[in-house]
Amino acid sequence: MTFKRKPVVAGNWKMNGLKEEGIELARGVVEGSSDLNCEIIVCPSFPLLHPVSEVLENDVKLGAQDCHFEPGGAYTGDVAVSMLVDANCSHVILGHSERRADHGETDDIVKAKAEAAYAAGLVAIICVGETQEQRDQGLTMATISTQLDASVPNEATAENTIIAYEPVWAIGTGLTATPEDAQDVHDHIRTYLKTSHSYEVTEAMRILYGGSMKPENASDLLAQPDIDGGLIGGAALNADSFLAIAKAASDL
Ligand code: 13P
């Protein structure tokens, strides 16, 4: 049985943009997305979620960049999943390498956040990826396996979870994994998930590539059999380049 996976293109805006810029960017994405055959998600910073949600149409979805695993309470600076739902989010990025490196986020924390996201009805976009040092030491697959083991909940399904493979050395550097190298890791992710999740779940699960994906390299990456879309940083800050990637995904 072959599984047809609908491509996903998600824009991680990171810590960029003020309200009016976010609204303009979101409007540009909405305008260009009406006849694209892929899922499109924009993930602005927390303060932009509400204003951006008000201009989203054409089934463009809203995602946050993080959440807390507790439902509420004395967690200064954190945001609960219920607040994300209240802001019309359907998705949340979890375990991004910038959170892992800059905020001490461990696999266990990522898993707890994913469980909280599921309980709130959010789709978790769970990020994994190796550093340059781990790659140089031949530890790419082992690193990814460890991260998947400890950060993807048993309850993960193709409906509530998207995996994003983001080699840390490719993020914001202009360096991109070759399509073949990225495909090897994506194939490893799908195969490895089969040790803990059913064949049907893992065949249907979308696995995105992230790390300097741009209009110029998107088609070659997306042509790989296990690359089901992209998690885009820099190129998502411009509606035209983001939409060019979405068009490449939509043409698959
Ligand atoms: P860049 O596309 O800027 O390399 O960022 C990728 C990323 O981290 C998306 O989450």
Side-chain angles (χ1 to χ4, degrees):
M1 186 173 184
T2 50
F3 287 77
K4 180 88 185 112
R5 296 181 289 267
K6 186 167 187 176
V8 184
V9 175
N12 176 5
W13 295 2
K14 306 194 179 183
M15 197 172 71
N16 291 295
L18 301 181
K19 187 169 78 176
E20 291 309 322
E21 293 158 328
I23 288 173
E24 197 184 316
L25 177 53
R27 281 211 175 105
V29 171
V30 166
E31 274 163 29
S33 65
S34 51
D35 33 69
L36 294 180
N37 185 27
C38 61
E39 229 172 276
I40 298 182
I41 309 163
V42 292
C43 305
S45 60
F46 290 133
L48 300 196
L49 290 174
H50 270 288
V52 164
S53 81
E54 281 167 17
V55 301
L56 291 186
E57 291 172 46
N58 292 346
D59 210 24
V60 174
K61 302 202 167 75
L62 186 66
Q65 298 173 17
D66 185 35
C67 67
H68 201 281
F69 51 82
E70 290 291 351
Y75 300 99
T76 303
D78 282 311
V79 173
V81 286
S82 57
M83 297 168 187
L84 301 184
V85 173
D86 196 38
N88 299 311
C89 288
S90 51
H91 291 69
V92 58
I93 298 171
L94 297 175
H96 192 282
S97 60
E98 287 150 15
R99 303 258 359 137
R100 291 175 185 265
D102 302 341
H103 299 270
E105 211 160 280
T106 62
D107 288 325
D108 289 346
I109 293 174
V110 176
K111 185 191 261 182
K113 290 181 175 192
E115 284 164 351
Y118 299 163
L122 293 167
V123 177
I125 303 175
I126 301 178
C127 304
V128 296
E130 82 287 2
T131 62
Q132 181 72 61
E133 202 183 352
Q134 288 163 331
R135 173 157 283 252
D136 292 346
Q137 291 171 358
L139 294 174
T140 298
M141 302 308 185
T143 302
I144 303 291
S145 302
T146 304
Q147 290 174 338
L148 291 172
D149 251 349
S151 54
V152 178
N154 290 337
E155 309 82 57
T157 67
E159 286 74 39
N160 66 19
T161 304
I162 295 170
I163 304 292
Y165 168 56
E166 297 209 313
V168 179
W169 50 270
I171 295 176
T173 58
L175 300 172
T176 320
T178 65
E180 295 72 24
D181 282 350
Q183 165 57 26
D184 281 350
V185 179
H186 281 235
D187 175 54
H188 174 77
I189 291 171
R190 202 178 302 289
T191 305
Y192 191 78
L193 281 174
K194 287 185 180 138
T195 60
S196 51
H197 294 75
S198 75
Y199 178 86
E200 286 74 19
V201 163
T202 50
E203 282 297 313
M205 195 171 283
R206 274 84 58 87
I207 306 176
L208 314 185
Y209 171 81
S212 299
M213 195 187 250
K214 321 182 249 294
E216 302 79 61
N217 59 24
S219 299
D220 287 346
L221 286 158
L222 292 166
Q224 300 297 317
D226 288 290
I227 300 184
D228 306 312
L231 181 54
I232 324 296
L237 297 175
N238 175 287
D240 290 341
S241 59
F242 183 63
L243 287 165
I245 297 171
K247 170 98 177 58
S250 165
D251 289 345
L252 287 179

